[in-house]
Amino acid sequence: MHLPSSSPRHPSVRRTLVCAVHIAIGLLATAATAADNGMPQPARIVTDDVVYDHSQVEWSEAYLQWVATFARGNSPVSDTTGALCAAKQEGDVWFLATSDGTGPVERSCTIPNGKTLFVPLATTVERSGNKEPVCESMARLASGSLTHVSQLTMTIDGVAVDNMPSHRIPTGDCFALGARQFPPSRAKTAVADGWYVMLAPLSAGPHTIVVNARYDSTPLSTTYHLDVR
């Protein structure tokens, strides 16, 4: 069994809409069966381009801005237990951080009911530093860095997410990486590229999300044991 997914960044056609209806009916039937059996309901991938008044590109930027508010070595990316899962999270969308590549990571987190989850799989960021940003060339560099990434996989409660390449979200233009820092920096000097999956609020109870990738020869593995309540 695989979780269906589709790109939110392409025009819909009639055949796609028909397929979407059948998928939705199948998911509803599966959810009803799971509820009857007392099992967690299956996760639903959000493919809408705009979620809570922000595009998925903007959510990818917001994730990186969130990470940038932490000191290196003491951030959700380097967290090995899940102690920082709720740190500086706010609003209707919560982020689940990737790992720093130093080894397989397992995190245990409590997630409030009703939170949409934005899950990065692998990301690259290019910064101009003190130089005047040349966003187009930086975007090419960020895109080129993704050629080092392979073997992207994601499972949610043991169910694999299909068609991982469709979940790529390049920012394209520059954005302010330090917008959430103190004092905030509004300078648009960063470009990013990568793969992300947005999940509708999970049903109450335990869930397990596993993300794997490789950056050249370095394996990246993050397991989230979530308790939604």
Side-chain angles (χ1 to χ4, degrees), residues 99 101 121-124 145-153 195 211-221:
S99 67
L121 285 86
T123 62
T124 60
S145 295
L146 293 185
T147 61
H148 297 274
V149 179
S150 63
Q151 300 179 30
L152 280 171
T153 63
W195 292 273
V211 174
N212 287 294
R214 292 188 73 87
Y215 190 89
D216 289 336
S217 60
T218 301
L220 306 173
S221 176

Side-chain angles (χ1 to χ4, degrees), residues 127-134 138 188-189:
R127 310 178 198 183
S128 66
N130 295 324
K131 301 178 182 178
E132 185 69 21
V134 182
M138 290 165 60
K188 295 183 177 182
T189 57

Side-chain angles (χ1 to χ4, degrees):
M1 180 179 179
H2 295 274
L3 285 173
S5 62
S6 61
S7 171
R9 289 162 289 281
H10 299 287
S12 298
V13 295
R14 186 172 183 178
R15 183 171 57 186
T16 302
L17 291 174
V18 172
C19 289
V21 170
H22 286 295
I23 288 170
I25 292 172
L27 286 176
L28 287 172
T30 304
T33 301
D36 291 341
N37 294 335
M39 298 169 58
Q41 295 183 15
R44 180 174 67 84
I45 296 174
V46 179
T47 58
D48 298 334
D49 187 39
V50 177
V51 181
Y52 294 113
D53 297 325
H54 294 284
S55 69
Q56 293 219 22
V57 170
E58 290 173 318
W59 284 118
S60 73
E61 296 171 355
Y63 162 71
L64 295 167
Q65 290 165 342
W66 171 66
V67 171
T69 65
F70 297 88
R72 179 173 295 183
N74 189 33
S75 81
V77 173
S78 55
D79 179 15
T80 58
T81 64
L84 296 177
C85 280
K88 302 183 184 181
Q89 302 269 25
E90 57 186 32
D92 296 302
V93 177
W94 275 33
F95 306 113
L96 299 185
T98 56
S99 67
D100 58 8
T102 56
V105 174
E106 291 200 33
R107 299 174 181 144
S108 297
C109 307
T110 298
I111 305 292
N113 248 323
K115 297 297 182 182
T116 296
L117 299 179
F118 194 70
V119 188
L121 285 86
T123 62
T124 60
V125 181
E126 290 292 331
R127 310 178 198 183
S128 66
N130 295 324
K131 301 178 182 178
E132 185 69 21
V134 182
C135 301
E136 186 177 344
S137 61
M138 290 165 60
R140 286 196 296 268
L141 289 172
S143 174
S145 295
L146 293 185
T147 61
H148 297 274
V149 179
S150 63
Q151 300 179 30
L152 280 171
T153 63
M154 179 179 185
T155 61
I156 306 167
D157 296 328
V159 181
V161 176
D162 264 346
N163 195 15
M164 293 309 307
S166 72
H167 295 280
R168 181 178 167 186
I169 305 178
T171 63
D173 204 356
C174 289
F175 68 101
L177 186 63
R180 286 188 57 180
Q181 294 175 342
F182 186 81
S185 171
R186 304 297 179 187
K188 295 183 177 182
T189 57
V191 172
D193 206 335
W195 292 273
Y196 307 80
V197 172
M198 181 170 275
L199 299 176
L202 299 172
S203 59
H207 297 272
T208 301
I209 296 177
V210 182
V211 174
N212 287 294
R214 292 188 73 87
Y215 190 89
D216 289 336
S217 60
T218 301
L220 306 173
S221 176
T222 308
T223 299
Y224 272 96
H225 302 288
L226 305 180
D227 181 12
V228 179
R229 58 167 93 169

